[in-house]
Amino acid sequence: DLTIEGDDSLNQLLDEIHADLYIMSDVFENTAVANGAARLTARALIEKGARVWCFAQADRAQRDLYRQELEILLGGVTNEYGTIEWQVF
């Protein structure tokens, strides 16, 4: 559930999964899910040293909310974890 609140819940979720790569798709159902996915992504990068791939269709309105929240959490578009960008495949 990507709408969970609180750092402890996110850390518990990441501890249970314990992966080096997180792949998410269509995590843009609504604003709460997009923001929760951004928080999960930031925690995975910062605290677990994992990589995150997030797939999204170009017409998903909340995908930009995810990116904006992630930029805030990580300190900008380009940060110590890399560059936040969408790539077309």
Side-chain angles (χ1 to χ4, degrees):
D1 181 5
L2 292 176
T3 62
I4 55 178
E5 293 291 331
D7 294 340
D8 291 338
S9 297
L10 286 175
N11 288 337
Q12 181 180 358
L13 179 62
L14 289 172
D15 286 341
E16 289 174 10
I17 297 172
H18 190 66
D20 294 326
L21 173 64
Y22 293 84
I23 300 174
M24 296 186 285
S25 177
D26 288 329
V27 292
F28 311 105
E29 180 178 330
N30 58 46
T31 301
V33 174
N35 287 336
R39 288 194 316 274
L40 182 71
T41 299
R43 292 272 178 213
L45 292 170
I46 295 168
E47 296 182 10
K48 305 300 178 184
R51 293 183 179 260
V52 178
W53 291 0
C54 186
F55 295 91
Q57 295 176 15
D59 64 344
R60 299 289 188 207
Q62 280 79 12
R63 78 181 200 139
D64 290 328
L65 293 174
Y66 165 84
R67 183 178 174 176
Q68 291 168 359
E69 182 69 14
L70 192 56
E71 289 173 11
I72 291 167
L73 294 168
L74 296 179
V77 173
T78 302
N79 52 69
E80 64 183 282
Y81 305 99
T83 299
I84 302 167
E85 62 184 339
W86 294 118
Q87 295 182 356
V88 179
F89 292 97

